[in-house]
């Protein structure tokens, strides 16, 4: 389950995307909202205690913080819950322009500082505050001294909140803040505004419109700076980045059950872009979504991003969903540029990040872009279909591109088989179907092999992104290829590194998996084994911890609760024993002489190593 804190433009975008993905989620807002979302909607202020309890009850796996940047209490509560329950936070942040070169703009650290500055400037008699109904009381000392007007949302709830402040309602201007900038300019002119007030609300808070109004009337725009937010596990600034992170999380903590999910090949991603570009050249606009009909009769649906249109050329991209297939291009940008010509033929060129074949023996001739026959056929089918639909007969030059293709190709076998400059565009049916956990284990084997072939004699195994980030902070000088995600397949991964005769292995995991491993469980997936409080309790008892601590551990529902009862210390006996037991299980799997290090990470990234 995903818990979304919304009530903002970003919150709506998150809900819309999760609806498209058919993800289960709960949408939380402080006050009721008029719009409907596909997930369960709740409202009301959630304290730290309520949020923590709610997350446990609803089995929340990820928190998406899309709350307003000024909702300080909300952000702090979310962060504390994340630390307590080890739930990652995905923050959808606003884009904030720089105001360094704007002479009319003055920034303040607080409303108190702003009010003091206004009181010191006697010349500002007529003021228009665009800071929202929640901030009216901040300016109470000015109500009787200046003609200060407050623009608020044009809703019953905002009106009632304004009335509660006791402000003269003649000074309250209900208005749609998302209206055209000209509406704000009309309001400024109507009241004779001499000073505009705002909070740093970012692009989605329509700061551009406020700046336009200030420039139009050559009046100062004073802005309260956004507060400093806590650190988040992940931070995105666009719908595209959000989709990428959700796809990545689906392979780890958002994975549902043991059934492996199918995805789509790189070839079908390119085909969707080609189709979208061709249609856009006819309609002069890109659609938000595009679908490709596969040989099976199924449809592959994509959201279209970054559409660019010229007279006879166009380009766009999609985000690839590989499902549970072990694929280095999962959640990456896959795009295509097309150019119309008079040849009547379809030709292929390698765009940025797509490899060129330099050795014989592959399905594509030497010198050609590494686009296999399967995706070529699929792309040509899309072109033929659109040509018939709009009755055109022209040539089309196809240039697939993968922005990170050169970097990603280093994690594949392309360099070894003579494909240079990027990845290959592959796929026959358009669908990636991982049949079992064997596919995931084989991917681990491939990654380990690639690491070895890139001269990595020390390999780092972590369950996922968060623990990898902690590991990189400790071992910052090692190559990227050396860090490998193994999910819950600890036993299988250790067998592979033993077979490959890796010189040194470092396994880094969090407490929950560490206790499972210490008990002898080499597959730590929650469907196979759950946290055994009795086992943890026995460790504490054997080490002579006080009875009150032992009893609290015995009652724990989650392993992370133990950190509250036994705080972190570098050589705390309980955690050292967990590490020792877990490492013992690891050594059983490996060959004699292989060096194994085990690292236990706290939710804050502190480490205990043996």
């Amino acid at each position: 389950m995903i818990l979304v804190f919304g009530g903002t433009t970003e919150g709506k975008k998150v809900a819309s995307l999760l609806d498209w993905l058919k993800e289960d989620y709960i949408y939380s807002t402080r006050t009721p909202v008029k719009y409907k979302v596909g997930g369960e909607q709740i409202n009301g202020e959630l304290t730290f205690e309520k949020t923590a309890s709610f997350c446990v009850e609803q089995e929340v796996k990820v928190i998406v913080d899309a709350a307003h940047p000024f909702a300080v209490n909300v952000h702090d509560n979310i962060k504390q819950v994340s630390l307590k329950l080890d739930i990652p936070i995905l923050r959808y942040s606003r884009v904030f322009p720089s105001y360094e070169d704007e002479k009319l703009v003055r920034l303040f650290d607080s409303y108190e500082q702003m009010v003091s500055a206004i009181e010191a400037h006697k010349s500002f008699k007529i003021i228009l505050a665009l800071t929202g109904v929640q901030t009216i009381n901040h300016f109470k000392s000015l109500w009787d001294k200046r003609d200060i007007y407050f623009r608020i949302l044009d809703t019953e709830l905002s009106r009632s909140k304004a009335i509660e402040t006791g402000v003269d309602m003649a000074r309250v201007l209900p208005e749609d803040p998302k209206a055209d900038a000209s509406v704000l300019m009309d309001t400024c002119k109507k009241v004779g505004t001499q000073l505009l007030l705002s909070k740093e609300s970012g692009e989605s808070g329509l700061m551009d419109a406020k700046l336009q109004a200030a420039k139009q009337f050559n009046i100062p725009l004073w802005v309260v700076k956004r507060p400093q937010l806590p650190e988040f596990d992940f931070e995105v600034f666009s719908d595209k980045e959000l989709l990428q992170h959700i796809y990545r999380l689906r392979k780890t903590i958002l994975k549902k059950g043991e059934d492996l999910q199918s995805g789509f090949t790189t070839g079908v991603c390119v085909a969707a872009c080609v189709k979208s570009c061709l249609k856009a050249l006819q309609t002069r606009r890109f659609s938000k979504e595009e679908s490709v009909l596969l040989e099976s009769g199924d449809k592959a649906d994509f959201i279209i991003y970054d559409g660019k249109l010229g007279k006879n050329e166009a380009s766009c991209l999609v985000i690839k969903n590989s499902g549970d297939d072990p694929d280095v291009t999962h959640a990456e940008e896959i795009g295509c540029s097309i150019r119309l010509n008079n040849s009547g033929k379809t030709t292929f060129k390698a765009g940025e990040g797509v490899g060129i074949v330099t050795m014989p023996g592959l399905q594509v001739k030497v010198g050609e872009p590494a686009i296999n026959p399967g995706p070529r056929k699929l792309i040509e089918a899309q072109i033929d279909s659109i040509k018939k639909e709009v009755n055109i007969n022209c040539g089309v030059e196809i240039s697939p591109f993968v922005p990170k293709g050169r970097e990603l190709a280093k994690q594949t076998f392309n360099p070894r088989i003579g494909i240079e400059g990027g990845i290959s565009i592959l796929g026959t049916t358009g669908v990636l179907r991982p049949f079992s956990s064997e596919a995931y284990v084989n991917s681990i084997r491939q990654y380990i092999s690639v690491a070895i072939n890139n001269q990595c004699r020390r390999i780092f195994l972590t369950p996922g992104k968060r623990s990898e980030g902690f590991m990189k902070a400790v071992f910052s000088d090692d190559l990227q290829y050396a860090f490998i995600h193994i999910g819950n397949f600890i036993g299988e991964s250790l067998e592979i590194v033993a077979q490959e005769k890796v010189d040194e292995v470092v396994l880094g995991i969090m407490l929950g998996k560490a206790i499972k491993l210490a008990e002898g469980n080499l597959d730590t997936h929650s469907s196979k084994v759950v946290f055994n409080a009795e086992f943890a309790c026995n460790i504490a008892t054997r080490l002579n911890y006080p009875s009150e601590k032992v009893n609290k551990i015995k009652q724990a529902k989650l392993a992370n609760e133990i950190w509250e009862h036994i705080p972190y210390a570098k050589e705390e006996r309980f955690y050292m024993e967990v590490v020792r037991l877990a490492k013992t299980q690891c050594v059983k799997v490996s060959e004699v002489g292989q060096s194994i290090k085990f690292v236990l990470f706290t939710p804050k990234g502190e480490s205990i190593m043996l």
Side-chain angles (χ1 to χ4, degrees):
M1 181 64 73
I2 300 172
L3 175 59
V4 180
F5 286 87
T8 56
T9 301
E10 293 76 23
K12 287 183 182 180
K13 290 180 179 180
V14 172
S16 177
L17 181 61
L18 294 179
D19 289 340
W20 185 79
L21 288 167
K22 297 180 174 59
E23 281 284 348
D24 295 326
Y25 68 98
I26 297 168
Y27 190 76
S28 173
T29 57
R30 183 177 179 181
T31 57
V33 292
K34 290 183 178 180
Y35 56 88
K36 294 293 182 183
V37 300
E40 178 187 347
Q41 290 182 255
I42 62 173
N43 58 76
E45 188 169 353
L46 287 178
T47 62
F48 162 70
E49 291 79 11
K50 287 182 179 179
T51 305
S53 298
F54 186 79
C55 287
V56 172
E57 292 168 6
Q58 298 295 327
E59 298 183 354
V60 171
K61 303 297 183 185
V62 175
I63 296 174
V64 179
D65 182 356
H68 196 283
F70 280 79
V72 176
N73 289 338
V74 175
H75 302 304
D76 288 344
N77 285 339
I78 291 172
K79 181 63 177 181
Q80 293 308 311
V81 169
S82 170
L83 293 174
K84 177 181 175 64
L85 301 180
D86 193 22
I87 299 175
I89 305 170
L90 173 54
R91 168 67 181 166
Y92 194 136
S93 288
R94 298 183 173 186
V95 176
F96 290 91
S98 172
Y99 303 106
E100 291 182 2
D101 299 327
E102 298 293 348
K103 295 180 180 179
L104 292 173
V105 176
R106 180 176 173 184
L107 300 175
F108 295 87
D109 292 325
S110 66
Y111 286 102
E112 291 74 19
Q113 191 182 79
M114 177 184 277
V115 170
S116 295
I118 293 172
E119 290 175 339
H121 285 71
K122 307 297 184 183
S123 58
F124 296 134
K125 302 293 185 183
I126 305 173
I127 303 168
L128 177 57
L130 310 173
T131 49
V133 71
Q134 303 281 4
T135 67
I136 291 177
N137 276 326
H138 284 297
F139 303 96
K140 199 163 189 175
S141 64
L142 301 174
W143 289 1
D144 298 327
K145 301 175 183 177
R146 311 288 174 93
D147 289 337
I148 181 165
Y149 294 87
F150 299 94
R151 187 185 70 171
I152 67 170
L153 287 174
D154 190 9
T155 65
E156 286 298 325
L157 181 61
S158 289
R159 287 190 187 87
S160 64
K161 286 187 175 181
I163 291 170
E164 289 174 5
T165 66
V167 70
D168 181 357
M169 290 303 290
R171 302 291 188 192
V172 175
L173 308 174
E175 188 176 287
D176 179 7
K178 296 194 179 300
D180 189 85
S182 61
V183 175
L184 175 57
M185 292 181 190
D186 288 343
T187 303
C188 289
K189 186 176 181 179
K190 179 181 177 181
V191 302
T193 306
Q194 298 171 334
L195 174 64
L196 275 172
L197 306 180
S198 179
K199 55 191 174 189
E200 192 180 9
S201 51
E203 288 183 359
S204 62
L206 303 176
M207 282 299 296
D208 284 346
K210 298 169 186 177
L211 189 56
Q212 283 182 47
K215 290 179 177 179
Q216 174 69 25
F217 298 105
N218 194 32
I219 55 178
L221 172 60
W222 287 6
V223 180
V224 174
K225 291 189 290 188
R226 65 188 185 275
Q228 184 70 39
L229 299 184
E231 290 186 5
F232 305 104
D233 298 274
F234 312 100
E235 188 171 18
V236 301
F237 296 88
S238 68
D239 298 359
K240 181 173 65 177
E241 291 178 347
L242 177 65
L243 179 59
Q244 289 178 292
H245 279 277
I246 295 296
Y247 276 156
R248 288 168 186 147
L249 291 172
R250 276 182 163 183
K251 281 200 170 188
T252 53
I253 57 178
L254 288 179
K255 184 168 175 56
K256 299 174 182 177
E258 286 297 293
D259 293 337
L260 296 179
Q261 301 300 306
S262 297
F264 298 110
T265 63
T266 314
V268 79
C269 293
V270 173
C273 292
V274 170
K275 184 176 180 182
S276 184
C277 285
L278 273 173
K279 290 168 69 173
L281 283 171
Q282 302 306 311
T283 63
R284 305 311 300 173
R285 67 180 183 85
F286 280 92
S287 58
K288 182 179 179 181
E289 299 176 23
E290 192 55 78
S291 62
V292 176
L293 185 64
L294 306 176
E295 290 182 359
S296 63
D298 295 328
K299 283 198 313 178
D301 297 319
F302 297 91
I303 298 176
I304 302 298
Y305 294 106
D306 299 352
K308 296 183 178 70
L309 267 176
K311 183 178 179 180
N312 291 312
E313 57 189 38
S315 70
C316 66
L317 59 83
V318 299
I319 303 302
K320 183 178 179 183
N321 174 21
S322 302
D324 285 315
D325 189 77
D327 178 15
V328 298
T329 57
H330 176 68
E332 295 292 346
E333 297 176 336
I334 309 293
C336 191
S337 298
I338 72 168
R339 186 190 300 270
L340 304 184
N341 55 50
N342 296 321
S343 70
K345 301 177 181 179
T346 297
T347 56
F348 292 88
K349 288 182 64 177
E352 175 62 30
V354 173
I356 297 290
V357 176
T358 63
M359 291 173 57
L362 298 174
Q363 297 181 56
V364 179
K365 294 180 181 178
V366 171
E368 284 281 311
I371 307 170
N372 274 13
R376 290 184 186 230
K377 181 180 177 182
L378 183 61
I379 291 166
E380 288 168 346
Q382 305 307 311
I383 293 173
D384 291 342
S385 175
I386 298 296
K387 281 184 177 181
K388 291 177 182 178
E389 185 179 321
V390 299
N391 194 26
I392 59 171
N393 184 25
C394 62
V396 185
E397 181 184 270
I398 309 295
S399 302
F401 62 86
V402 181
K404 293 185 178 180
R406 288 181 179 273
E407 177 186 346
L408 293 169
K410 296 174 184 177
Q411 302 175 47
T412 72
F413 288 100
N414 276 11
R416 296 176 61 185
I417 58 178
I419 297 176
E420 297 182 357
I423 66 161
S424 307
I425 308 298
L426 305 174
T428 303
T429 64
V431 180
L432 291 173
R433 300 187 190 278
F435 293 101
S436 68
S437 59
E438 181 181 354
Y440 197 107
V441 173
N442 284 339
S443 75
I444 296 171
R445 185 182 300 277
Q446 176 178 305
Y447 298 150
I448 291 172
S449 176
V450 169
I452 292 172
N453 280 278
N454 279 280
Q455 289 74 52
C456 296
R457 303 315 304 169
R458 177 165 65 175
I459 289 177
F460 302 89
L461 306 179
T462 64
K465 178 77 173 178
R466 191 178 195 187
S467 48
E468 180 190 286
F470 292 156
M471 187 79 89
K472 286 180 176 178
V474 178
F475 300 93
S476 57
D477 296 332
D478 285 79
L479 295 172
Q480 173 69 30
Y481 323 114
F483 295 87
I484 298 169
H485 291 187
I486 61 171
N488 293 287
F489 299 106
I490 295 174
E492 291 89 342
S493 301
L494 291 172
E495 288 176 358
I496 294 170
V497 296
Q499 294 162 7
E500 297 290 340
K501 301 188 184 305
V502 176
D503 293 342
E504 183 179 345
V505 179
V506 184
L507 174 63
I509 55 180
M510 310 294 279
L511 184 58
K513 292 185 188 300
I515 290 177
K516 293 177 183 179
L517 179 57
E519 195 177 3
N521 300 290
L522 293 168
D523 184 341
T524 57
H525 198 284
S526 57
S527 66
K528 300 287 182 64
V529 59
V530 296
F531 166 63
N532 186 348
E534 191 68 35
F535 176 76
C537 177
N538 290 340
I539 294 176
T541 300
R542 193 168 68 250
L543 295 174
N544 298 316
Y545 276 84
S547 58
E548 61 269 20
K549 287 185 181 291
V550 172
N551 290 333
K552 286 180 179 179
I553 293 173
K554 191 173 185 178
Q555 296 168 15
K557 301 296 183 186
L558 299 169
N560 269 351
E561 294 179 37
I562 298 175
W563 295 112
E564 294 182 15
H565 311 310
I566 304 178
Y568 165 81
K570 198 70 176 177
E571 296 186 359
E572 179 64 48
R573 290 177 301 136
F574 177 85
Y575 301 118
M576 289 296 291
E577 180 65 5
V578 170
V579 169
R580 187 190 68 79
L581 292 171
K583 182 176 179 178
T584 299
Q585 296 297 330
C586 295
V587 171
K588 288 180 182 178
V589 183
S590 68
E591 291 183 339
V592 175
Q594 185 181 67
S595 173
I596 294 182
K597 283 188 173 66
F598 187 95
V599 186
L600 172 65
F601 291 113
T602 75
K604 293 181 179 180
E606 300 149 323
S607 60
I608 298 171
M609 189 183 309
L610 185 63

